[in-house]
Coordinates of all heavy atoms in Angstrom, one line a residue:
K1 N 36.0 -45.5 -145.1 CA 36.8 -45.7 -146.4 C 35.8 -45.3 -147.5 O 34.6 -45.4 -147.5 CB 37.2 -47.2 -146.5 CG 36.1 -48.2 -146.9 CD 36.6 -49.6 -146.9 CE 35.4 -50.5 -147.2 NZ 35.7 -51.8 -147.2
D2 N 36.4 -44.8 -148.6 CA 35.8 -44.4 -149.7 C 35.9 -45.6 -150.8 O 36.9 -45.6 -151.5 CB 36.3 -43.2 -150.3 CG 35.6 -42.6 -151.5 OD1 34.7 -43.2 -151.9 OD2 35.9 -41.5 -151.8
A3 N 34.9 -46.4 -150.9 CA 34.9 -47.5 -151.8 C 35.1 -47.1 -153.2 O 35.6 -48.0 -154.0 CB 33.7 -48.4 -151.6
T4 N 34.7 -46.0 -153.6 CA 34.8 -45.7 -154.9 C 36.2 -45.3 -155.4 O 36.5 -45.3 -156.6 CB 33.9 -44.4 -155.3 OG1 34.4 -43.2 -154.5 CG2 32.4 -44.6 -154.9
L5 N 37.1 -45.1 -154.5 CA 38.5 -44.8 -154.9 C 39.1 -45.9 -155.6 O 39.9 -45.7 -156.5 CB 39.3 -44.5 -153.6 CG 39.0 -43.2 -153.0 CD1 39.9 -43.0 -151.7 CD2 39.3 -42.1 -153.9
A6 N 38.9 -47.1 -155.3 CA 39.6 -48.3 -155.8 C 38.9 -49.0 -156.9 O 39.3 -50.1 -157.3 CB 40.1 -49.2 -154.7
T7 N 37.7 -48.6 -157.3 CA 36.9 -49.3 -158.3 C 37.7 -49.5 -159.6 O 37.3 -50.4 -160.5 CB 35.6 -48.7 -158.6 OG1 35.8 -47.3 -158.9 CG2 34.7 -48.6 -157.4
N8 N 38.8 -48.7 -159.8 CA 39.5 -48.9 -161.1 C 40.7 -49.7 -160.9 O 41.6 -49.6 -161.7 CB 39.9 -47.5 -161.7 CG 40.7 -46.6 -160.8 OD1 40.7 -46.9 -159.6 ND2 41.3 -45.6 -161.3
K9 N 40.9 -50.3 -159.7 CA 42.0 -51.2 -159.6 C 41.6 -52.7 -159.8 O 40.5 -53.1 -159.4 CB 42.5 -51.1 -158.1 CG 42.9 -49.8 -157.6 CD 44.3 -49.4 -158.3 CE 45.4 -49.6 -157.3 NZ 46.6 -49.2 -157.5
I10 N 42.5 -53.4 -160.5 CA 42.2 -54.8 -160.9 C 43.3 -55.6 -160.5 O 44.4 -55.2 -160.5 CB 41.9 -54.9 -162.3 CG1 42.9 -54.3 -163.3 CG2 40.5 -54.2 -162.7 CD1 42.8 -54.6 -164.7
W11 N 43.1 -56.9 -160.3 CA 44.1 -57.9 -160.1 C 44.6 -58.3 -161.5 O 44.0 -58.1 -162.5 CB 43.5 -59.1 -159.3 CG 43.2 -58.9 -157.9 CD1 42.0 -58.9 -157.4 CD2 44.1 -58.5 -156.9 NE1 42.0 -58.6 -156.1 CE2 43.3 -58.3 -155.8 CE3 45.5 -58.2 -156.8 CZ2 43.9 -57.9 -154.5 CZ3 46.0 -57.9 -155.6 CH2 45.2 -57.7 -154.4
P12 N 45.8 -58.8 -161.5 CA 46.5 -59.2 -162.9 C 45.5 -60.2 -163.7 O 45.5 -60.1 -164.9 CB 47.7 -59.9 -162.5 CG 48.1 -59.2 -161.2 CD 46.8 -59.0 -160.5
D13 N 44.6 -60.9 -163.1 CA 43.8 -61.8 -163.8 C 42.4 -61.0 -164.3 O 41.6 -61.7 -164.9 CB 43.4 -63.0 -163.0 CG 42.4 -62.7 -161.8 OD1 42.2 -61.5 -161.6 OD2 42.0 -63.6 -161.0
G14 N 42.4 -59.6 -164.1 CA 41.3 -59.0 -164.6 C 40.1 -58.8 -163.6 O 39.2 -58.0 -163.9
T15 N 40.2 -59.4 -162.5 CA 39.1 -59.3 -161.5 C 39.2 -58.0 -160.7 O 40.3 -57.5 -160.4 CB 38.9 -60.4 -160.5 OG1 40.1 -60.6 -159.8 CG2 38.6 -61.7 -161.3
R16 N 38.1 -57.4 -160.5 CA 38.1 -56.1 -159.7 C 38.3 -56.5 -158.1 O 37.9 -57.5 -157.6 CB 36.8 -55.3 -159.8 CG 36.6 -54.9 -161.3 CD 36.0 -53.6 -161.3 NE 35.9 -53.2 -162.7 CZ 36.8 -52.4 -163.3 NH1 37.8 -52.0 -162.6 NH2 36.6 -52.1 -164.5
L17 N 38.8 -55.5 -157.3 CA 38.9 -55.8 -156.0 C 37.6 -55.8 -155.3 O 36.7 -55.1 -155.6 CB 39.8 -54.6 -155.3 CG 41.3 -54.7 -155.5 CD1 41.7 -54.6 -157.0 CD2 42.0 -53.7 -154.7
N18 N 37.5 -56.7 -154.2 CA 36.3 -56.7 -153.5 C 36.4 -55.7 -152.4 O 37.4 -55.0 -152.1 CB 36.0 -58.1 -152.9 CG 37.0 -58.5 -151.9 OD1 37.4 -57.9 -151.0 ND2 37.4 -59.8 -152.1
D19 N 35.2 -55.5 -151.6 CA 35.2 -54.5 -150.5 C 36.3 -54.7 -149.5 O 36.7 -53.7 -149.0 CB 33.9 -54.5 -149.9 CG 32.7 -53.9 -150.8 OD1 33.1 -53.2 -151.7 OD2 31.6 -54.1 -150.5
L20 N 36.7 -55.8 -149.1 CA 37.7 -56.1 -148.1 C 39.0 -55.7 -148.6 O 40.0 -55.4 -147.9 CB 37.7 -57.5 -147.6 CG 36.4 -58.0 -147.0 CD1 36.5 -59.5 -146.7 CD2 36.2 -57.2 -145.8
E21 N 39.3 -55.8 -149.9 CA 40.6 -55.4 -150.6 C 40.8 -54.0 -150.8 O 42.0 -53.6 -151.1 CB 40.7 -56.3 -151.8 CG 40.8 -57.8 -151.5 CD 40.5 -58.6 -152.8 OE1 39.9 -58.1 -153.8 OE2 41.1 -59.7 -152.9
I22 N 39.7 -53.2 -150.8 CA 39.8 -51.9 -151.3 C 40.5 -50.9 -150.4 O 41.3 -50.0 -150.8 CB 38.3 -51.3 -151.6 CG1 37.8 -52.0 -152.9 CG2 38.3 -49.8 -151.8 CD1 36.4 -51.7 -153.2
A23 N 40.4 -51.0 -149.1 CA 40.8 -50.0 -148.1 C 42.2 -49.5 -148.4 O 42.3 -48.3 -148.7 CB 40.8 -50.5 -146.7
D24 N 43.3 -50.3 -148.5 CA 44.6 -49.8 -148.8 C 45.1 -50.0 -150.2 O 46.1 -49.5 -150.6 CB 45.6 -50.5 -147.8 CG 45.4 -50.0 -146.4 OD1 45.1 -48.9 -146.1 OD2 45.5 -50.8 -145.5
A25 N 44.3 -50.8 -150.9 CA 44.8 -51.1 -152.3 C 44.9 -50.0 -153.2 O 45.7 -49.9 -154.1 CB 43.8 -52.2 -152.8
Y26 N 44.1 -49.0 -153.0 CA 44.0 -47.8 -153.9 C 45.4 -47.2 -153.9 O 45.9 -46.7 -154.9 CB 43.0 -46.8 -153.4 CG 43.0 -45.5 -154.2 CD1 42.6 -45.5 -155.5 CD2 43.5 -44.3 -153.7 CE1 42.6 -44.4 -156.4 CE2 43.6 -43.1 -154.5 CZ 43.1 -43.2 -155.8 OH 43.2 -42.1 -156.5
F27 N 46.1 -47.1 -152.7 CA 47.4 -46.6 -152.6 C 48.5 -47.5 -152.9 O 49.7 -47.1 -152.7 CB 47.6 -45.9 -151.2 CG 46.5 -44.8 -150.9 CD1 45.4 -45.1 -150.2 CD2 46.7 -43.5 -151.5 CE1 44.5 -44.1 -149.9 CE2 45.8 -42.6 -151.2 CZ 44.6 -42.8 -150.5
D28 N 48.2 -48.7 -153.3 CA 49.2 -49.7 -153.6 C 49.5 -49.8 -155.1 O 48.7 -50.4 -155.8 CB 48.7 -51.1 -153.1 CG 49.8 -52.2 -153.3 OD1 50.9 -51.9 -154.0 OD2 49.7 -53.2 -152.7
D29 N 50.5 -49.1 -155.6 CA 50.8 -49.1 -157.1 C 51.2 -50.4 -157.6 O 51.4 -50.5 -158.8 CB 51.9 -48.0 -157.4 CG 51.2 -46.6 -157.2 OD1 50.0 -46.5 -157.4 OD2 52.0 -45.7 -157.0
T30 N 51.4 -51.5 -156.8 CA 51.7 -52.7 -157.3 C 50.5 -53.5 -157.9 O 50.6 -54.4 -158.6 CB 52.5 -53.7 -156.3 OG1 51.6 -54.0 -155.3 CG2 53.7 -53.1 -155.8
I31 N 49.3 -53.0 -157.5 CA 48.1 -53.5 -157.9 C 47.7 -52.5 -159.2 O 47.4 -51.4 -159.0 CB 47.0 -53.4 -157.0 CG1 47.4 -54.3 -155.8 CG2 45.7 -54.0 -157.5 CD1 46.4 -54.3 -154.5
P32 N 47.7 -53.0 -160.4 CA 47.5 -52.1 -161.5 C 46.1 -51.4 -161.6 O 45.2 -52.0 -161.2 CB 47.8 -53.1 -162.7 CG 47.5 -54.3 -162.3 CD 47.8 -54.5 -160.7
F33 N 46.1 -50.3 -162.2 CA 44.9 -49.6 -162.6 C 44.3 -50.2 -163.9 O 45.1 -50.8 -164.6 CB 45.1 -48.1 -162.8 CG 45.3 -47.3 -161.5 CD1 46.5 -47.2 -160.9 CD2 44.2 -46.8 -160.9 CE1 46.8 -46.5 -159.8 CE2 44.4 -46.0 -159.7 CZ 45.7 -45.9 -159.2
G34 N 43.0 -50.2 -164.0 CA 42.4 -50.8 -165.2 C 41.2 -50.0 -165.5 O 40.7 -49.1 -164.8
G35 N 40.6 -50.3 -166.6 CA 39.3 -49.6 -167.0 C 39.4 -48.9 -168.3 O 40.5 -48.8 -169.0
I36 N 38.3 -48.3 -168.7 CA 38.2 -47.7 -170.0 C 39.2 -46.5 -170.1 O 39.7 -46.3 -171.2 CB 36.8 -47.2 -170.2 CG1 36.6 -46.8 -171.7 CG2 36.3 -46.2 -169.3 CD1 35.2 -46.6 -172.1
Y37 N 39.3 -45.7 -169.0 CA 40.4 -44.6 -169.2 C 41.8 -45.0 -169.3 O 42.6 -44.3 -170.0 CB 40.1 -43.6 -168.1 CG 38.8 -43.0 -168.1 CD1 37.8 -43.3 -167.1 CD2 38.3 -42.1 -169.1 CE1 36.5 -42.8 -167.2 CE2 37.0 -41.7 -169.2 CZ 36.1 -42.0 -168.2 OH 34.9 -41.5 -168.2
I38 N 42.1 -46.0 -168.6 CA 43.5 -46.6 -168.8 C 43.6 -47.2 -170.2 O 44.6 -47.0 -170.9 CB 43.8 -47.7 -167.7 CG1 43.6 -47.1 -166.3 CG2 45.2 -48.3 -167.9 CD1 44.4 -45.9 -166.0
D39 N 42.6 -47.9 -170.6 CA 42.7 -48.4 -172.0 C 42.8 -47.3 -173.0 O 43.6 -47.5 -174.0 CB 41.4 -49.3 -172.4 CG 41.4 -50.5 -171.5 OD1 42.4 -50.9 -170.9 OD2 40.2 -51.1 -171.5
Y40 N 42.1 -46.2 -172.9 CA 42.1 -45.1 -173.7 C 43.6 -44.5 -173.7 O 44.1 -44.1 -174.8 CB 41.1 -44.0 -173.3 CG 41.1 -42.8 -174.0 CD1 40.7 -42.8 -175.4 CD2 41.6 -41.6 -173.5 CE1 40.6 -41.6 -176.2 CE2 41.6 -40.4 -174.3 CZ 41.1 -40.4 -175.6 OH 41.1 -39.3 -176.3
M41 N 44.1 -44.3 -172.6 CA 45.5 -43.7 -172.4 C 46.5 -44.6 -173.1 O 47.3 -44.1 -173.8 CB 45.9 -43.4 -171.0 CG 45.4 -42.1 -170.4 SD 45.9 -40.6 -171.5 CE 47.6 -40.8 -171.5
N42 N 46.4 -45.9 -172.9 CA 47.3 -46.8 -173.5 C 47.2 -46.7 -175.1 O 48.2 -46.9 -175.7 CB 47.0 -48.3 -172.9 CG 47.5 -48.5 -171.6 OD1 48.3 -47.7 -171.1 ND2 46.9 -49.5 -170.9
S43 N 46.0 -46.6 -175.6 CA 45.8 -46.4 -177.0 C 46.5 -45.2 -177.5 O 47.1 -45.1 -178.5 CB 44.4 -46.3 -177.3 OG 43.7 -47.6 -177.1
I44 N 46.3 -44.1 -176.8 CA 47.0 -42.8 -177.2 C 48.5 -43.0 -177.2 O 49.2 -42.5 -178.1 CB 46.5 -41.6 -176.2 CG1 45.1 -41.3 -176.5 CG2 47.5 -40.4 -176.4 CD1 44.5 -40.2 -175.6
V45 N 49.1 -43.6 -176.2 CA 50.5 -43.9 -176.1 C 50.9 -44.7 -177.3 O 52.0 -44.3 -178.0 CB 50.9 -44.5 -174.7 CG1 52.3 -45.1 -174.8 CG2 50.6 -43.7 -173.6
K46 N 50.1 -45.7 -177.7 CA 50.6 -46.5 -178.8 C 50.4 -45.6 -180.1 O 51.3 -45.8 -181.0 CB 49.6 -47.7 -178.9 CG 50.0 -48.7 -179.9 CD 49.1 -49.9 -179.9 CE 49.4 -50.8 -181.0 NZ 48.6 -52.1 -181.0
L47 N 49.4 -44.9 -180.3 CA 49.2 -44.0 -181.4 C 50.3 -43.0 -181.6 O 50.6 -42.5 -182.7 CB 47.8 -43.4 -181.6 CG 46.6 -44.3 -181.7 CD1 45.3 -43.5 -181.5 CD2 46.7 -44.8 -183.1
S48 N 50.8 -42.5 -180.5 CA 51.9 -41.5 -180.5 C 53.2 -42.0 -181.1 O 54.1 -41.1 -181.4 CB 52.1 -41.0 -179.2 OG 53.1 -41.8 -178.4
K49 N 53.4 -43.3 -181.3 CA 54.6 -43.8 -182.0 C 55.9 -43.4 -181.3 O 56.8 -43.1 -182.0 CB 54.6 -43.6 -183.5 CG 53.4 -44.2 -184.2 CD 53.4 -44.0 -185.6 CE 52.2 -44.7 -186.2 NZ 52.2 -44.5 -187.6
G50 N 55.8 -43.4 -180.0 CA 57.0 -43.0 -179.2 C 57.1 -41.6 -178.7 O 58.0 -41.2 -177.9
D51 N 56.2 -40.7 -179.2 CA 56.2 -39.3 -178.7 C 55.8 -39.2 -177.3 O 56.2 -38.4 -176.6 CB 55.3 -38.5 -179.6 CG 55.8 -38.1 -180.9 OD1 57.1 -38.3 -181.1 OD2 55.0 -37.8 -181.8
I52 N 54.9 -40.2 -176.8 CA 54.6 -40.3 -175.4 C 55.2 -41.5 -174.9 O 54.9 -42.6 -175.4 CB 53.1 -40.3 -175.2 CG1 52.4 -39.0 -175.8 CG2 52.7 -40.4 -173.8 CD1 50.9 -39.0 -175.9
R53 N 55.9 -41.5 -173.8 CA 56.6 -42.7 -173.3 C 56.7 -42.5 -171.8 O 56.6 -41.5 -171.2 CB 57.9 -43.0 -174.0 CG 58.8 -42.0 -174.2 CD 60.0 -42.2 -174.9 NE 60.9 -41.2 -175.0 CZ 60.9 -40.2 -175.8 NH1 59.9 -40.0 -176.6 NH2 61.7 -39.1 -175.7
N54 N 57.1 -43.6 -171.1 CA 57.4 -43.6 -169.7 C 56.1 -43.3 -168.9 O 56.2 -42.4 -168.0 CB 58.6 -42.8 -169.2 CG 59.8 -43.2 -170.0 OD1 60.0 -44.5 -170.1 ND2 60.7 -42.3 -170.2
V55 N 54.9 -43.7 -169.3 CA 53.7 -43.4 -168.6 C 53.7 -44.3 -167.5 O 53.8 -45.6 -167.5 CB 52.5 -43.7 -169.5 CG1 51.2 -43.5 -168.7 CG2 52.5 -42.7 -170.8
T56 N 53.4 -43.7 -166.3 CA 53.2 -44.5 -165.0 C 51.9 -44.1 -164.4 O 51.6 -42.9 -164.2 CB 54.3 -44.1 -164.0 OG1 55.6 -44.3 -164.6 CG2 54.3 -44.9 -162.7
Y57 N 51.1 -45.1 -164.1 CA 49.8 -44.7 -163.5 C 50.0 -44.8 -161.8 O 50.6 -45.8 -161.4 CB 48.7 -45.8 -163.8 CG 48.5 -45.8 -165.3 CD1 49.0 -46.8 -166.2 CD2 47.8 -44.7 -165.9 CE1 48.8 -46.7 -167.5 CE2 47.5 -44.7 -167.3 CZ 48.1 -45.6 -168.0 OH 47.9 -45.6 -169.4
T58 N 49.4 -43.9 -161.2 CA 49.5 -43.9 -159.8 C 48.2 -43.2 -159.1 O 47.3 -42.8 -159.9 CB 50.7 -43.0 -159.3 OG1 50.9 -43.2 -157.9 CG2 50.5 -41.5 -159.6
H59 N 48.1 -43.3 -157.9 CA 46.9 -42.7 -157.2 C 47.0 -41.3 -157.0 O 48.0 -40.6 -157.0 CB 46.8 -43.5 -155.8 CG 48.0 -43.4 -155.0 ND1 48.4 -42.3 -154.3 CD2 49.2 -44.3 -154.9 CE1 49.5 -42.4 -153.7 NE2 50.0 -43.7 -154.0
T60 N 45.8 -40.7 -156.6 CA 45.7 -39.2 -156.2 C 46.5 -39.3 -154.9 O 46.3 -40.2 -154.0 CB 44.4 -38.8 -156.1 OG1 43.7 -39.1 -157.3 CG2 44.1 -37.4 -155.7
S61 N 47.1 -38.2 -154.5 CA 47.8 -38.1 -153.2 C 47.0 -38.1 -152.0 O 45.8 -37.6 -152.1 CB 48.7 -36.8 -153.2 OG 47.9 -35.7 -153.1
R62 N 47.4 -38.6 -150.9 CA 46.6 -38.6 -149.8 C 46.3 -37.2 -149.3 O 45.2 -36.9 -148.7 CB 47.2 -39.4 -148.6 CG 47.3 -40.9 -148.8 CD 48.0 -41.6 -147.7 NE 48.5 -42.9 -148.1 CZ 47.8 -44.0 -147.7 NH1 46.7 -43.9 -146.9 NH2 48.2 -45.1 -148.0
G63 N 47.3 -36.3 -149.5 CA 47.1 -34.9 -149.0 C 45.9 -34.2 -149.7 O 45.1 -33.6 -149.2
S64 N 45.9 -34.5 -151.1 CA 44.8 -33.9 -151.9 C 43.5 -34.5 -151.6 O 42.4 -33.8 -151.6 CB 45.2 -33.9 -153.4 OG 46.2 -33.1 -153.8
L65 N 43.4 -35.8 -151.4 CA 42.2 -36.5 -151.1 C 41.7 -36.0 -149.7 O 40.5 -35.8 -149.5 CB 42.4 -38.0 -151.0 CG 42.6 -38.6 -152.4 CD1 43.0 -40.0 -152.3 CD2 41.4 -38.5 -153.2
K66 N 42.6 -35.6 -148.8 CA 42.1 -35.2 -147.4 C 41.7 -33.7 -147.6 O 40.6 -33.3 -147.0 CB 43.3 -35.2 -146.5 CG 42.9 -34.7 -145.0 CD 44.1 -35.0 -144.2 CE 43.7 -34.6 -142.7 NZ 44.7 -34.7 -141.7
R67 N 42.2 -33.0 -148.4 CA 41.8 -31.5 -148.7 C 40.6 -31.4 -149.4 O 39.7 -30.6 -149.2 CB 43.0 -30.9 -149.5 CG 42.5 -29.5 -149.9 CD 42.7 -28.3 -148.8 NE 42.6 -27.0 -149.3 CZ 41.4 -26.5 -149.4 NH1 40.3 -27.0 -149.1 NH2 41.4 -25.2 -149.8
Y68 N 40.3 -32.4 -150.3 CA 39.0 -32.5 -151.1 C 38.4 -33.8 -150.9 O 38.4 -34.7 -151.8 CB 39.3 -32.2 -152.6 CG 40.0 -31.0 -152.8 CD1 41.4 -30.8 -153.0 CD2 39.3 -29.7 -152.8 CE1 42.1 -29.6 -153.2 CE2 39.9 -28.5 -153.1 CZ 41.3 -28.4 -153.3 OH 41.9 -27.2 -153.4
P69 N 37.7 -34.1 -149.8 CA 37.2 -35.4 -149.5 C 35.9 -35.7 -150.4 O 35.3 -34.9 -151.0 CB 36.8 -35.3 -148.0 CG 36.6 -33.9 -147.8 CD 37.4 -33.1 -148.8
G70 N 35.6 -37.1 -150.3 CA 34.3 -37.5 -150.9 C 34.3 -37.3 -152.4 O 35.1 -37.7 -153.1
A71 N 33.1 -36.8 -152.8 CA 32.8 -36.6 -154.3 C 33.8 -35.6 -154.9 O 33.8 -35.6 -156.1 CB 31.4 -36.2 -154.4
R72 N 34.6 -34.9 -154.2 CA 35.5 -34.0 -154.8 C 36.8 -34.6 -155.1 O 37.8 -33.9 -155.3 CB 35.6 -32.8 -153.9 CG 34.3 -32.1 -153.7 CD 34.4 -31.0 -152.6 NE 35.3 -29.9 -153.0 CZ 35.7 -29.0 -152.2 NH1 35.5 -29.1 -150.9 NH2 36.6 -28.1 -152.6
R73 N 36.9 -36.0 -155.3 CA 38.2 -36.6 -155.5 C 38.8 -36.3 -156.9 O 40.0 -36.3 -157.1 CB 38.1 -38.1 -155.3 CG 37.2 -38.8 -156.3 CD 37.1 -40.3 -155.9 NE 36.5 -41.0 -157.0 CZ 35.2 -41.1 -157.2 NH1 34.4 -40.5 -156.4 NH2 34.6 -41.8 -158.1
F74 N 37.9 -35.8 -157.8 CA 38.4 -35.4 -159.1 C 39.1 -34.1 -159.0 O 40.1 -33.8 -159.6 CB 37.3 -35.3 -160.1 CG 36.7 -36.5 -160.4 CD1 35.3 -36.9 -160.2 CD2 37.5 -37.7 -161.0 CE1 34.7 -38.0 -160.4 CE2 36.8 -38.9 -161.2 CZ 35.5 -39.1 -161.0
T75 N 38.6 -33.1 -158.1 CA 39.3 -32.0 -157.8 C 40.6 -32.2 -157.1 O 41.6 -31.5 -157.5 CB 38.4 -31.1 -156.8 OG1 37.2 -30.8 -157.5 CG2 39.1 -29.8 -156.4
A76 N 40.7 -33.2 -156.3 CA 41.9 -33.6 -155.7 C 43.0 -34.1 -156.7 O 44.2 -33.7 -156.6 CB 41.7 -34.7 -154.7
A77 N 42.5 -34.8 -157.7 CA 43.5 -35.2 -158.9 C 43.9 -34.0 -159.5 O 45.2 -34.0 -159.9 CB 42.8 -36.2 -159.7
V78 N 43.1 -33.1 -159.9 CA 43.5 -31.9 -160.6 C 44.4 -31.1 -159.8 O 45.5 -30.5 -160.3 CB 42.3 -31.1 -161.2 CG1 42.7 -29.8 -161.7 CG2 41.5 -31.9 -162.1
R79 N 44.2 -31.0 -158.5 CA 45.2 -30.4 -157.5 C 46.5 -30.9 -157.6 O 47.5 -30.2 -157.5 CB 44.5 -30.4 -156.2 CG 45.4 -29.7 -155.1 CD 45.4 -28.2 -155.4 NE 46.0 -27.5 -154.2 CZ 45.9 -26.3 -154.0 NH1 45.1 -25.5 -154.8 NH2 46.5 -25.7 -153.0
D80 N 46.6 -32.3 -157.7 CA 47.9 -32.9 -157.9 C 48.7 -32.4 -159.1 O 49.8 -32.3 -159.1 CB 47.8 -34.4 -157.8 CG 47.6 -35.0 -156.5 OD1 47.7 -34.2 -155.4 OD2 47.4 -36.1 -156.3
V81 N 47.9 -32.2 -160.2 CA 48.5 -31.8 -161.4 C 49.0 -30.3 -161.2 O 50.1 -29.9 -161.5 CB 47.5 -31.8 -162.6 CG1 48.1 -31.0 -163.8 CG2 47.1 -33.2 -162.9
Q82 N 48.2 -29.5 -160.5 CA 48.5 -28.1 -160.2 C 49.7 -28.0 -159.4 O 50.6 -27.1 -159.5 CB 47.3 -27.4 -159.6 CG 47.6 -26.0 -159.2 CD 46.5 -25.3 -158.4 OE1 45.7 -26.0 -157.8 NE2 46.4 -24.1 -158.6
N83 N 49.9 -28.9 -158.4 CA 51.0 -28.9 -157.5 C 52.3 -29.5 -158.1 O 53.3 -29.6 -157.4 CB 50.6 -29.6 -156.2 CG 49.7 -28.8 -155.3 OD1 49.6 -27.6 -155.5 ND2 48.9 -29.5 -154.5
G84 N 52.1 -30.1 -159.3 CA 53.3 -30.7 -160.0 C 53.7 -32.1 -159.5 O 54.8 -32.6 -159.8
L85 N 52.7 -32.8 -158.9 CA 53.0 -34.1 -158.4 C 52.9 -35.1 -159.6 O 53.5 -36.1 -159.6 CB 52.0 -34.5 -157.2 CG 52.1 -33.7 -156.0 CD1 50.9 -34.1 -155.0 CD2 53.5 -33.8 -155.3
V86 N 52.0 -34.8 -160.5 CA 51.8 -35.5 -161.7 C 51.8 -34.6 -162.8 O 51.5 -33.4 -162.7 CB 50.6 -36.4 -161.6 CG1 50.8 -37.5 -160.5 CG2 49.3 -35.6 -161.4
D87 N 51.9 -35.2 -164.1 CA 51.8 -34.4 -165.3 C 50.4 -34.2 -165.8 O 50.1 -33.2 -166.5 CB 52.7 -35.0 -166.4 CG 54.1 -34.9 -166.1 OD1 54.6 -33.8 -165.4 OD2 54.8 -35.9 -166.3
M88 N 49.6 -35.3 -165.5 CA 48.1 -35.2 -165.9 C 47.3 -36.2 -165.2 O 47.9 -37.1 -164.5 CB 48.1 -35.7 -167.4 CG 48.5 -37.0 -167.7 SD 48.5 -37.4 -169.5 CE 46.8 -37.4 -169.9
A89 N 46.0 -35.9 -165.1 CA 45.1 -36.9 -164.5 C 44.1 -37.3 -165.4 O 43.7 -36.7 -166.4 CB 44.4 -36.1 -163.4
V90 N 43.9 -38.6 -165.4 CA 43.0 -39.4 -166.4 C 41.7 -39.7 -165.7 O 41.7 -40.3 -164.6 CB 43.7 -40.6 -166.9 CG1 42.8 -41.4 -167.9 CG2 45.0 -40.3 -167.6
G91 N 40.6 -39.3 -166.3 CA 39.3 -39.7 -165.7 C 38.1 -38.9 -166.5 O 38.4 -38.1 -167.4
A92 N 37.0 -39.1 -165.9 CA 35.8 -38.3 -166.6 C 35.6 -36.9 -165.9 O 35.1 -36.8 -164.9 CB 34.5 -39.1 -166.3
F93 N 36.4 -36.0 -166.4 CA 36.4 -34.7 -165.8 C 35.7 -33.7 -166.6 O 35.5 -33.8 -167.9 CB 38.0 -34.2 -165.7 CG 38.9 -35.0 -164.9 CD1 39.7 -35.9 -165.5 CD2 38.8 -34.9 -163.5 CE1 40.5 -36.6 -164.7 CE2 39.7 -35.6 -162.7 CZ 40.5 -36.5 -163.3
W94 N 35.1 -32.6 -166.0 CA 34.5 -31.5 -166.7 C 34.8 -30.3 -165.9 O 35.0 -30.3 -164.7 CB 33.1 -31.8 -167.0 CG 32.3 -32.0 -165.7 CD1 31.7 -31.2 -164.9 CD2 32.1 -33.3 -165.2 NE1 31.1 -31.8 -163.8 CE2 31.3 -33.2 -164.0 CE3 32.4 -34.7 -165.4 CZ2 30.9 -34.1 -163.1 CZ3 32.0 -35.7 -164.6 CH2 31.3 -35.5 -163.5
V95 N 34.7 -29.2 -166.6 CA 35.0 -27.8 -165.9 C 33.7 -27.5 -165.2 O 32.6 -27.5 -165.7 CB 35.3 -26.8 -167.0 CG1 35.5 -25.4 -166.4 CG2 36.6 -27.2 -167.8
T96 N 34.0 -27.0 -164.0 CA 32.9 -26.5 -163.1 C 33.3 -25.2 -162.7 O 34.4 -24.7 -162.9 CB 32.7 -27.4 -161.9 OG1 33.8 -27.3 -161.0 CG2 32.4 -28.8 -162.3
G97 N 32.4 -24.5 -161.9 CA 32.7 -23.1 -161.4 C 33.6 -23.2 -160.1 O 34.0 -22.1 -159.7
E98 N 33.9 -24.3 -159.7 CA 34.7 -24.4 -158.4 C 36.2 -24.1 -158.8 O 36.8 -24.5 -159.7 CB 34.6 -25.8 -157.9 CG 35.3 -25.9 -156.6 CD 35.0 -27.4 -156.0 OE1 34.0 -27.9 -156.3 OE2 35.9 -27.8 -155.2

């Protein structure tokens, strides 16, 4: 299991998932995402005054994670955008030569 996948998943009371809860929780959209990037996106949505709406947070697809394993999970998220599975990916991304 890749424990880093679910570090941005939190329980409704604000506690982060422990190692035993991480395995399948990343792919469970009923457990909300949280953290600085989610807070940032929520602020942008609020500042848009209705121009941005219907924002749904979800996980990177299993197919892209399998294609780009390990530390390349950001590439996997961008691949989901390229494939039209999602409109955007939120995270600490930067352009590389890959």
